[in-house]
Amino acid sequence: MSNGTQIAIVTVLSVAVLLFFFYTATQKQSQKTTGTIKIQTQTTSNETPTDFQSTIRQQAISDPFYRTIIDNNLFRPLGWRQPHPRYPYRLLGTLIPTGSKTPRQAIIEVIASKHTLYRSIGDKLDAETTVIDIQPKAVRLEKNGHQRNIILNTAPWIK
């Protein structure tokens, strides 16, 4: 065989090995595994081997090197984008009074049920979501300690 043919064969085999590695590294964890690896270590009195194994697994998932492989999976369709989670509320408008005696209000639509809610600062939208602040064209909500802004989208009205 010529030198060029050998290089082509080695290149094709290298690409096949890399593709196989990326494919196996990005498989979902829910699929059945063919074997298990047991890690035996010396543990302290308050740490069990299963805690150590779950720690190793979490470090592998959160490692930026492996995260790049998972995020840029070669076997996804072209143009695939990770779906953005939809927020269950949409801001329809805000009422900002000029007097200090009238509270600010937000007009919020519950997207799933198409209900319209009128809420002031401190009111609850559901059992876990509270209105923290109301500004012109924006409302800040808090759910389980996480805050999120919903902004008035004027694009649907301008068609």
Side-chain angles (χ1 to χ4, degrees), residues 13-48:
L13 288 175
S14 299
V15 169
V17 168
L18 281 174
L19 287 175
F20 178 75
F21 170 74
F22 287 137
Y23 179 75
T24 57
T26 57
Q27 289 296 310
K28 294 181 180 177
Q29 292 181 356
S30 63
Q31 291 180 345
K32 195 179 244 185
T33 58
T34 57
T36 58
I37 298 173
K38 296 224 178 211
I39 301 174
Q40 293 185 356
T41 61
Q42 294 180 349
T43 59
T44 59
S45 60
N46 61 356
E47 183 181 13
T48 64

Side-chain angles (χ1 to χ4, degrees), residues 5 10 13 19 25 35 37 40 45 50 53 55 63 65-66 77 80 93 100 104 111 118 120 122 128 136-137 146 159:
T5 306
V10 169
L13 288 175
L19 287 175
I37 298 173
Q40 293 185 356
S45 60
T50 56
Q53 290 170 358
T55 303
D63 187 20
F65 176 76
Y66 294 113
W80 183 88
S100 61
R104 294 178 174 205
I111 295 173
Y118 293 87
S120 298
E128 302 169 339
K137 299 183 182 181
H146 299 315
K159 283 192 177 179

